[in-house]
Amino acid sequence: MRFQKILFVCFSFFAAILFASPAFAASDLDSGDYEYPAKNCRSCGAALEVDLERSNSPNCVKVGAVFYVRCACGTRNAGAQIPALGHLPGRTVYTGPSCKFPGIITTFCARCDEYMYAEEVGEPAGHTWERNPDDSGREPTCTESGSMPMVCTVCRDTKFEDIPALGGEHVWEQVRVYYPSCTLFGGIVFECSRCGSGKRESLDSLGHDWTETSRTPATCTDPGSIGYNCSRCSETKSTVLPALAEDHTWVETSRTNPSCTTTGLIAYDCSVCQSKKSDTLPALGHSWTETSRTDATCTAAGSVSYACSVCEETKTESLSALGHAWEETNRTPATCTTPGSVDRTCTRCGFTASEELPALGSDHTWSETSRREPTQTAPGLVEYTCSVCGSVKSETLPALSSSGSMSELLAVVSSILSVALGWMSVVANKVASNPILLLAVVIGFLGTGVILFKRFLNM
């Protein structure tokens, strides 16, 4: 209860601060109406004038200060601190009582309207209880008490009130049965006809009722199996039957012998589990014996005939023609312009054949191999060899004449003109605009040619 009173006082204090009239600030008393303490000059005794720009007045919680203007005599006089005024009780605010807390009177300062203190007034009003419609509570049974939820209509506080047990023993009545299955438990649900309490009793699971539906007998090497179905829930299961032995005991029951081209067969039965198996015997294959032979020649095929010594089947195999075994007997090499030839003879049958070798090219590729210059008394000679086929040719150079001839003169002049024209093609662009200069150059070359010709005649 003491903690609740403290909480209520604090709540009332903050409510008064928030909802009461605004409090004064510390500077609200700083005005020209405040009477600062008077003071005389310490030197001349004249009354000093207060320096209002520097001075500030005190309020309820803040100290003030007074400063004075310099005296006419020039003396500076010290100011003074003004003590805080302290709060002065003023207006009050009344807060009515609640269900759990008494009323409160809150007092504020007459000068700054700050909170000063709060006082409790009267007693709490108390709760007004009624059943809580939002909570169903717990109904009493024959052996256990119940609870009724209550809510205050004023402050919405809640509580529970006990409802005593009905007393006596339960009167149980069966209301529902859950039948068990092969794997799941069942149960019976009861309800008391007096208080509505319930209880449940368990029923054990029934277990499967197995019936054999299939059977695969075991053999010597393979296990068998038995299949079951449950007659109640259709569940299935299977049981493995172990193999009868580590291996079969086979007994031959029939045999078909193989031939040259067909396989044979041996059938077996197991004397323990009656299993069956068969083994295949491979075909024997023919045993061939040669009966006749026609040998192959260079151009004609031969043959070999065989007969099987077991089944008397026959076959014939062809022998391919041997082809000629050629030996070269003569060769005429080809040149660049003339084809050659190769003659061959078969060493096996004596047949002969000739094969033409094509010419090596359309013309010879001559290279000069030796030269003898002509004189005035004997002709010259130039020899050439083809670099492709090795053919050789020669050319005769005529003897030189002592007096010279017109053809030789023309050859010299032609050589001189050729040199002149070559040089002129270089300088043509520079002298093309000056025909006189071009003519002088040509005459100069012609004069040089005449001089060289005269020297040639004197040789």
Side-chain angles (χ1 to χ4, degrees), residues 15 20 252 294 325 381:
E252 181 178 335
T294 301
L381 183 67

Side-chain angles (χ1 to χ4, degrees), residues 2-336:
R2 180 177 178 83
F3 173 74
Q4 293 175 342
K5 287 182 179 181
I6 295 172
L7 184 63
F8 180 72
V9 171
C10 293
F11 173 76
S12 301
F13 167 70
F14 287 110
I17 292 175
L18 292 173
F19 301 107
S21 60
F24 290 102
S27 60
D28 290 340
L29 295 178
D30 295 341
S31 65
D33 296 335
Y34 180 76
E35 293 184 3
Y36 289 97
K39 186 175 182 179
N40 296 327
C41 178
R42 60 184 173 84
S43 296
C44 66
L48 297 174
E49 181 182 353
V50 176
D51 188 349
L52 295 177
E53 292 184 359
R54 300 175 58 200
S55 302
N56 57 343
S57 59
N59 60 22
C60 296
V61 295
K62 180 181 177 184
V63 297
V66 60
F67 297 91
Y68 299 96
V69 179
R70 178 181 292 186
C71 183
C73 68
T75 303
R76 289 182 180 273
N77 293 276
Q81 189 180 68
I82 304 173
L85 302 177
H87 291 299
L88 179 64
R91 70 181 184 87
T92 59
V93 176
Y94 173 72
T95 302
S98 66
C99 297
K100 296 186 287 186
F101 303 104
I104 296 271
I105 295 177
T106 306
T107 302
F108 297 88
C109 178
R111 275 191 291 266
C112 65
D113 207 38
E114 290 287 338
Y115 168 81
M116 293 181 64
Y117 54 86
E119 296 177 328
E120 292 185 359
V121 179
E123 297 294 332
H127 293 292
T128 302
W129 298 108
E130 68 175 14
R131 185 180 178 94
N132 188 354
D134 299 330
D135 194 338
S136 60
R138 187 178 71 251
E139 296 296 331
T141 66
C142 296
T143 57
E144 296 180 358
S145 62
S147 62
M148 179 183 294
M150 307 296 290
V151 62
C152 177
T153 58
V154 179
C155 66
R156 307 306 297 173
D157 199 3
T158 59
K159 72 173 184 177
F160 288 91
E161 291 184 354
D162 290 336
I163 303 174
L166 301 178
E169 297 294 330
H170 291 291
V171 180
W172 298 113
E173 294 181 356
Q174 180 177 309
V175 294
R176 190 175 298 106
V177 178
Y178 297 97
Y179 293 100
S181 67
C182 296
T183 57
L184 299 177
F185 291 95
I188 303 175
V189 179
F190 297 91
E191 187 177 282
C192 179
S193 59
R194 294 180 62 210
C195 64
S197 296
K199 74 171 183 176
R200 178 170 179 166
E201 293 182 357
S202 296
L203 299 176
D204 294 335
S205 59
L206 302 176
H208 292 294
D209 181 22
W210 298 112
T211 301
E212 181 178 334
T213 56
S214 64
R215 178 182 290 267
T216 301
T219 67
C220 293
T221 56
D222 298 323
S225 64
I226 303 176
Y228 299 92
N229 281 352
C230 178
S231 60
R232 279 193 289 266
C233 66
S234 299
E235 185 77 13
T236 61
K237 76 170 184 177
S238 62
T239 301
V240 177
L241 299 176
L244 302 178
E246 294 183 358
D247 201 356
H248 293 288
T249 302
W250 297 113
V251 177
E252 181 178 335
T253 57
S254 63
R255 176 186 292 265
T256 301
N257 293 322
S259 66
C260 294
T261 56
T262 60
T263 58
L265 187 70
I266 303 175
Y268 301 90
D269 285 348
C270 178
S271 60
V272 178
C273 64
Q274 307 307 314
S275 293
K276 298 178 180 295
K277 77 166 186 177
S278 61
D279 290 339
T280 301
L281 300 176
L284 301 176
H286 292 292
S287 178
W288 296 112
T289 301
E290 182 177 334
T291 56
S292 63
R293 175 182 290 269
T294 301
D295 293 330
T297 66
C298 294
T299 57
S303 63
V304 180
S305 298
Y306 299 92
C308 178
S309 60
V310 178
C311 65
E312 299 182 356
E313 186 172 343
T314 61
K315 73 172 183 177
T316 300
E317 292 182 353
S318 177
L319 301 176
S320 300
L322 301 177
H324 291 295
W326 294 114
E327 184 179 62
E328 184 175 328
T329 57
N330 186 43
R331 175 180 290 270
T332 302
T335 67
C336 292

